[in-house]
Amino acid sequence: MDYHRNYRPCPTFFVEEEYGMESRMRQERQAKQEHDKQMARERQYVMADELSNLTSEQLRDDVLSHMLEMDNQTLPDVESIDIQTEIQWFMRPYLLDFLIEAHTAFQLLPSTLFLAINLLDRYCSKRVVYKRHYQLVGCAALLIAAKYNDKKDRVPTIKELKSMCCSLYDDDMFTQMEWHVLQTLGWSIGHPTVDAFLQHAVLDDAYDPEVEHMALYILEIALFHRDFVAKLSSELARAALALSRCILNRPQPRHTHWSSQYDSMTLVALSQQLHQPSTVVARKYASAHYSRVSKVMEHFLNRQASLATYARCTPPVETPIESKPYNGEIGLATPQKSQQLTAIPHGYLTPPITPDNEALVHAHTQMANHDMNRGMPTVHHGCSSSPVPSAEMQYMNSEAYQQQQEAMYMAQQAALQQFPLAPTHMGMGQTYQGGM
């Protein structure tokens, strides 16, 4: 009994403390293991990126040549689309607005949109499409492009596409059209889109999101026009990139760079289609996600239009040319005679009278008589001979000579008023300003 009376239970706080320490140590070990795994995963990612960059640099030329070859093989035929019986080119903007809105709603990649339009045009190049099925073909092309190129959780479902089409088509029609498009194209879906070439063009440059977004905006505007349907994606990407750099006042790359080898005619054709973009596309690129490049484009076009209007309305300023003595320089001033005759090293002075030439005098007399018979004033053509003075001719005094000169001047002025002469032009369209 004494034993039971003196017995006291052992306190358990030592056991709980030991269990808590073991739990904390276990949590610390687990946290350290997770940290080590995360660090190892980050190192693997860095090594993978380095190997990928090294491989891409070594194989960049091969990849580019393969993309260019596929670009030629997967182009649609515009002439085949021209002979479609029901669908017309004016219907294309309405379908593209619908596809762009659907593409934005599902948050798909930019390459998915360009691939979907390529599949649509290639199908219309090979099959007759009815007007009532045009939107269905576009939805099928968008569905195929999303399955081929985008993330699985972002691929639109048939129910979602049917809802966007206002239940105009049944579920089976989407499936059948998808299969028919794939069969028509021979299950050849891959196509190097313009944004793929754009990424290749800016690979060596510093990241400039505004330039890339402006180029994508220009390329989406080009989707609406027939002239660019059969254009190579590589040409469109380089021309759009050069045009976006011009609009944003960015420097162009060196002439040895691949992106600098753009077609100037394609660039001019793209610049001519920027004035009236689609409202859907302009609203899409007015968001901050795309650097608001549509607003930048609108401001640029308005500034260019105002400069052109100012240039047309403002007359050119002509500065008067002052006559000054000729000092040996080249200009429009009338050369002045020197007081003393100097020897001319490169030729002789023309004598005051030409040698006696009876043939020239006879020809000149006949021409003058012919002009008088026609009622026209006598005009000296060519280098007619001067009359040879007779031996009996005496010099006149100064007063008689001045009267004769004034009479000749008055007669000449009367003839000029009756038959005005055109001004004499000197050189490249400049009017001679000096006197005789």
Side-chain angles (χ1 to χ4, degrees):
M1 291 196 51
D2 294 340
Y3 174 77
H4 290 288
R5 188 182 304 114
N6 296 329
Y7 172 76
R8 294 179 180 178
C10 180
T12 59
F13 66 91
F14 295 105
V15 178
E16 292 178 355
E17 184 179 358
E18 183 179 359
Y19 178 78
M21 291 178 62
E22 290 180 356
S23 176
R24 285 195 300 271
M25 291 176 63
R26 189 182 304 110
Q27 291 177 358
E28 290 178 357
R29 286 196 300 269
Q30 291 178 353
K32 187 176 183 302
Q33 290 176 358
E34 290 294 333
H35 177 71
D36 293 341
K37 289 181 180 179
Q38 185 68 24
M39 294 298 296
R41 192 178 298 112
E42 292 294 335
R43 285 195 296 268
Q44 290 178 356
Y45 288 154
V46 172
M47 293 175 60
D49 291 339
E50 291 179 355
L51 292 175
S52 177
N53 294 332
L54 181 61
T55 306
S56 64
E57 290 178 0
Q58 294 176 351
L59 302 177
R60 184 181 300 179
D61 295 337
D62 296 335
V63 171
L64 180 59
S65 61
H66 179 67
M67 291 172 62
L68 293 174
E69 183 179 357
M70 288 187 62
D71 193 12
N72 284 281
Q73 294 177 357
T74 55
L75 280 180
D77 187 7
V78 180
E79 296 181 355
S80 299
I81 302 178
D82 288 337
I83 62 176
Q84 287 281 348
T85 56
E86 289 197 9
I87 61 172
Q88 302 295 330
W89 286 107
F90 73 88
M91 304 177 186
R92 182 181 180 86
Y94 299 98
L95 178 60
L96 291 188
D97 285 339
F98 169 78
L99 293 178
I100 291 173
E101 287 183 339
H103 174 269
T104 306
F106 296 122
Q107 298 180 357
L108 302 175
L109 295 174
S111 56
T112 303
L113 175 64
F114 293 108
L115 179 59
I117 305 303
N118 176 261
L119 296 176
L120 170 66
D121 293 334
R122 286 163 60 190
Y123 179 81
C124 294
S125 302
K126 297 182 178 182
R127 295 288 185 180
V128 176
V129 181
Y130 294 106
K131 183 167 55 178
R132 62 180 182 274
H133 295 155
Y134 197 28
Q135 187 179 14
L136 181 62
V137 176
C139 291
L142 182 63
L143 184 61
I144 295 170
K147 290 181 179 180
Y148 179 83
N149 194 55
D150 226 300
K151 296 181 179 180
K152 185 177 181 180
D153 56 345
R154 295 188 178 181
V155 176
T157 62
I158 294 180
K159 290 184 178 180
E160 291 172 338
L161 293 175
K162 179 181 178 181
S163 176
M164 296 191 70
C165 295
C166 302
S167 300
L168 185 62
Y169 310 105
D170 297 333
D171 296 350
D172 296 339
M173 298 180 69
F174 288 95
T175 306
Q176 293 176 5
M177 183 57 70
E178 181 184 2
W179 178 85
H180 195 263
V181 171
L182 292 172
Q183 285 289 111
T184 302
L185 301 181
W187 297 83
S188 177
I189 306 173
H191 169 72
T193 56
V194 288
D195 66 301
F197 284 105
L198 184 63
Q199 294 299 323
H200 179 83
V202 300
L203 196 59
D204 296 331
D205 301 332
Y207 179 62
D208 193 346
E210 194 174 11
V211 172
E212 296 185 19
H213 293 158
M214 181 66 74
L216 287 175
Y217 179 47
I218 296 172
L219 291 171
E220 286 200 23
I221 293 176
L223 291 175
F224 287 77
H225 302 280
R226 176 189 178 277
D227 297 337
F228 307 108
V229 171
K231 279 283 187 181
L232 293 172
S233 300
S234 57
E235 293 184 3
L236 286 174
R238 286 182 290 188
L241 182 60
L243 182 57
S244 64
R245 285 169 174 165
C246 291
I247 294 173
L248 298 173
N249 197 19
R250 300 293 198 276
Q252 295 292 340
R254 297 187 301 271
H255 67 279
T256 57
H257 201 274
W258 179 79
S259 61
S260 65
Q261 303 171 4
Y262 59 88
D263 184 18
S264 58
M265 298 301 296
T266 304
L267 187 145
V268 172
L270 286 173
S271 65
Q272 293 175 350
Q273 306 298 338
L274 302 178
H275 299 279
Q276 294 180 346
S278 170
T279 306
V280 175
V281 179
R283 184 173 65 248
K284 172 184 175 181
Y285 282 91
S287 62
H289 180 70
Y290 289 103
S291 305
R292 296 184 175 89
V293 291
S294 62
K295 298 295 183 181
V296 177
M297 173 78 75
E298 184 180 359
H299 178 68
F300 172 80
L301 294 176
N302 291 335
R303 185 171 67 252
Q304 293 295 319
S306 62
L307 290 177
T309 304
Y310 178 78
R312 287 195 303 267
C313 296
T314 305
V317 179
E318 296 183 356
T319 57
I321 301 176
E322 298 180 358
S323 178
K324 60 181 180 179
Y326 181 69
N327 296 323
E329 70 275 5
I330 300 176
L332 297 178
T334 304
Q336 303 294 329
K337 287 185 179 182
S338 61
Q339 298 296 330
Q340 297 180 356
L341 294 176
T342 57
I344 300 177
H346 303 290
Y348 299 95
L349 289 174
T350 304
I353 55 175
T354 57
D356 193 5
N357 193 332
E358 296 181 358
L360 291 176
V361 173
H362 181 67
H364 175 66
T365 305
Q366 290 184 351
M367 189 177 297
N369 295 333
H370 179 68
D371 292 340
M372 291 295 293
N373 294 332
R374 294 176 56 187
M376 298 177 61
T378 302
V379 181
H380 297 282
H381 302 275
C383 300
S384 57
S385 61
S386 301
V388 181
S390 60
E392 296 82 11
M393 183 176 180
Q394 303 292 332
Y395 288 104
M396 298 181 178
N397 55 19
S398 59
E399 185 178 357
Y401 180 76
Q402 290 179 1
Q403 292 178 0
Q404 183 179 2
Q405 290 295 326
E406 291 177 359
M408 291 176 62
Y409 176 76
M410 295 297 295
Q412 187 179 15
Q413 291 297 322
L416 289 176
Q417 292 179 3
Q418 185 177 3
F419 299 95
L421 300 177
T424 304
H425 294 280
M426 305 293 292
M428 298 297 294
Q430 298 178 351
T431 304
Y432 181 74
Q433 300 292 337
M436 294 297 295

